[in-house]
Amino acid sequence: MHSTTAPSTPTHCPYCALQCGMGLAPDPRGDGGLAVVERAQFPVNRGALCGKGRTATAVLSSRVRLTEPLVRTHATGRLEPATWEEALDRIAEGLSRTRAEHGADAVGVFGGGGLTNEKAYALGKFARVALGTSQIDYNGRFCMSSAAAAHQRAFGLDRGLPFPLEDIPRTGCVILVGSNLAETMPPALRYLTELRENGGTLIVVDPRRTKTAEQADLHLAPRPGTDLALALGLMHLLVAEGRTDEAYIGERTKGWEEARAAAMAHWPELVERITGVSVPELREAVRLFSTPKDAMVLTARGPEQQSKGTDTVGAWINLTLATGRAGRPLSGYGCLTGQGNGQGGREHGQKADQLPGYRKLTDPAARAHVAQVWGVDPESLPGPGRSAYELLDALGGDVRSLLLMGSNPVVSAPRAAHIEERLRSLDFLAVADVVLSETAELADVVLPVAQWAEETGTTTNLEGRVLLRRRAITPPPGVRTDLFVLHELAARLGVEKGFPTDPEEVFEELRRASAGGPADYSGITYGRLAAEDGVFWPCPAQEGVEVRGGEPVGAEAELHPGTPRLFLDRFATEDGRARFVPVVHRAAAEEPDAEFPVLLTTGRVVAQYQSGAQTRRVAELNTAAPGPFVELHPQLAERIGVADGEEVTVVSRRGTAVAPARVSRAIRPDTVFMPFHWPGEGRANTLTNPALDPVSRMPEFKVCAVRLERTAA
Ligand code: SF4
C-alpha cells in the first residue's frame, strides 16, 4: 500500500466477497499506473487489506493482461491478434450457426461470481433475449449455492449474512463452520478477535487446525463430510439437556417435531464414531453455544461444498432456530459468501433458474414483470436450464457452442480434466477475460475486457451491502467492457436495443426489474451509493419519491434506509415463520476403501484467489504462494515414505495430481488437503468428485477418496 497526497478514487477490491474499501491514486512512481491507498473510513475493513488487495493494481499492467482480441486461425490453428470487428463477427457467426443447426438451447452461456451486478444482469438478459437459450449458469454455483438453497428453505429468502459484520463482536458465541477466514478474508478476522476481547467465545469446526482454528476457544476437527452428523449430535444434546427455546420455537417456527425426531436418532456416541469429535467436546460446544443470550452460526465452503451441502447447512440453521437465535438482534445464521460479487451475482439472472431481483424463472408473475421491463413476450422467455457442472458436462453433447465471461473452469471445475476435454469438444468457444486464462487458451475467440478499476459498476458484498466500484483509470486502447461486448453481439444477433454500454443505464433497468422482488434494489441509485457506505437490500423505492443525485426530491420525501438486519419481525415465508427441515446424516458420495483409503479436501491459501488466473500473475503473491502442495499428517507421510518437500502423487477415480508434500500436525491423519489455485499436474480439481447436491446442484469439492504414492524419481 502506498501513501500519497494525491486525491484518490474510493472503490473496492476486485477479489473476494468482503469487498474491502480502498482508494486508487496515481502511482507516486509516475509510471502512469495506479497505487492502492488506504480508505480507513469504510466500515467493513477500516483500511485493512490482505496481500491480494494491496497488489490488485498489478493485474492492470499490460505486461500480464490481454490488450487485443485473439482469433484462432484455420491456417495455423493458433490464437492470433485480430480486430474487434473480426472477433465479434466471428463470435456472432459461431453462435448463430449453432443456433440455426441445433436450436437455441445448443448455445450455452457461462458467467462468474466476480461479474458486477450490471454484467450479471446483462448476461442473463442476453442469454434469454438475444440468444433465446435456457442454458446459462455460472461459477457461483460452485461457491455458495448450498447455503443459498438452505437459506431459502428455512427463511424464505437468501442473503448471505442477514446482519452486518459489525454485529459479530457483540454476540456471545460464534460457531464458525468450514471457514478459514485468516486465509480467505484476513481483514474479517478482527471481528472474531473483537468477539473474544468482548468476552464472547469462538468455536471453529474444521478438519484442519487452520490459522483461524488457532484463534478458537474450542476447535472441533470432524472427519471431512461429517459436519451434518456433528450438527445433529449438537442438536441431540441441546434437546437432551433442555437447552432449547420452546417459546421461540412455538412463536416463530414450524416443523420442530420432525426435526427434533430426526436429530434424536444421532446420539452423542454415534456422532463421535462418525465424526471423530469426542462426546466431551460435543458437550462443551453445546454449553458454549447455548449459555449466552445471543449466538451465531456462520458457515462457508466446508459444509456447503458437499453432495449433501443443503442438508448440512440446514442442520446448522436448525441449531439457531432451536435455541431461538435466528431473526433476533446480535444472533442468527449467516453464510460467508466467497466470490467478489458472490451475493449480487446470484440475484440478477445469470443463474439457471433465475430472473433479476432473485425472482424464480418458473413464477408466471415474475416472468410477466421482467418481460415487461425487457419489452418482450413472457412466453418468449426460456425456462430453467442446467446447473453449472451439468452444463459444462453437456458441452460437446447437446450444447455445441459456449460464450464464457469471467470464469476459468479448466482450473475451478470439479473433475477438471473431463471438463477440459468437454470444452475442447465444442464446435465454438468464445471467452471474454482480462487475462489469457487456461480456459481462454482453448477458445476460438478471446476478447480482452476491462477490469474493476477501469469501469464503474456495483457489487453486493457478503452482508448484502450494495457498493459502487468507480472507474479510476482508462483501459488500454485495445480493451472494451463486457457491456460493450454484449451490446455488439446482441446487435449482430438482430437485437438492436436493450443492451446499453453505460453501467448506470443498466443499473437503472436492473432497479426496475428487481422492484418488488426478494432482492429489491429499486430504491438504490448510483448517487446514493456514491454518498453512502453502501446500501443493504431489500431497499424498495418509496412510492412517489423521485431521486436525483442520491437525494430524494420534495419536502416530505424520504428514502428507504435499506435493510441491514433481516427477519427481526418475521421471516420471508408466507406465514412469517421459519422452517425447521428434518435432516439425517448420510455418507459422502465417495468414502475411503482399500483402493482409495484417504480423504482429500480442498481449499484456498491467503496469497492466491480462486482459479488464480489473476493472482498467479502477481509476482509478490507468487513469491508468497508459488505452487500447489499436499498437506498431510506425519503418520501418513511416514506410511507412504514421503518427507516434507518431496513430491507426492495423489490419485482419485478421476485422475492424478502431483505436488510437494507439506507435512503438518495441523491435519487429521486420515485426510490430505490441497489448494485448488493451480493448473497442470498439481491441479487439485483433477481429483475432485462432481457428485451433486440434489437441491443446490453443488459439487462435492470438499471430500473425495484418494490414494497417495511416493512420486517416482
Ligand atoms: Fe480483497 Fe478480500 Fe483481501 Fe479484502 S480480504 S483485500 S476484499 S481479497
Side-chain angles (χ1 to χ4, degrees), residues 13 15-16 18-20 49-50 52-53 185 187:
C13 175
Y15 296 117
C16 85
L18 202 55
Q19 285 297 283
C20 291
L49 297 171
C50 77
K52 298 184 288 289
M185 296 179 181

Side-chain angles (χ1 to χ4, degrees), residues 12-17 19 110-121 123 138-141 143-144 337-346 350 405-408 432-434 449-453 455-460 469 482 609-610 614:
H12 298 273
C13 175
Y15 296 117
C16 85
Q19 285 297 283
F110 201 83
L115 300 179
T116 60
N117 292 321
E118 292 78 358
K119 294 180 189 184
Y121 172 85
L123 191 63
Y138 78 124
N139 65 17
R141 177 81 66 175
C143 178
M144 48 11 83
T337 297
Q339 289 178 288
N341 195 26
Q343 181 67 50
R346 70 196 197 233
Q350 64 175 330
M405 274 188 171
S407 186
N408 187 14
D433 209 331
V434 299
V449 288
Q451 300 188 41
W452 59 291
E455 56 183 348
T456 296
T458 62
T459 59
T460 305
R469 276 198 203 149
D482 288 304
Y609 181 69
Q610 306 295 43
Q614 290 132 294

Side-chain angles (χ1 to χ4, degrees), residues 565-655:
R565 294 172 184 84
L566 293 169
F567 313 138
L568 293 182
D569 301 322
R570 68 191 310 279
F571 294 98
T573 53
E574 263 180 30
D575 59 9
R577 288 167 176 256
R579 300 286 188 270
F580 279 101
V581 178
V583 290
V584 293
H585 171 69
R586 56 186 188 272
E590 198 173 70
E591 288 287 335
D593 56 18
E595 196 181 357
F596 299 101
V598 176
L599 291 167
L600 168 72
T601 192
T602 62
R604 288 165 50 188
V605 297
V606 66
Q608 299 287 353
Y609 181 69
Q610 306 295 43
S611 82
Q614 290 132 294
T615 50
R616 283 187 275 113
R617 287 168 166 83
V618 179
E620 189 179 326
L621 299 177
N622 272 337
T623 303
F629 58 87
V630 182
E631 183 180 286
L632 74 168
H633 192 275
Q635 288 172 13
L636 182 55
E638 191 183 340
R639 208 158 71 224
I640 58 169
V642 172
D644 190 58
E646 282 183 354
E647 297 265 286
V648 60
T649 300
V650 187
V651 186
S652 81
R653 287 183 175 83
R654 290 150 296 279

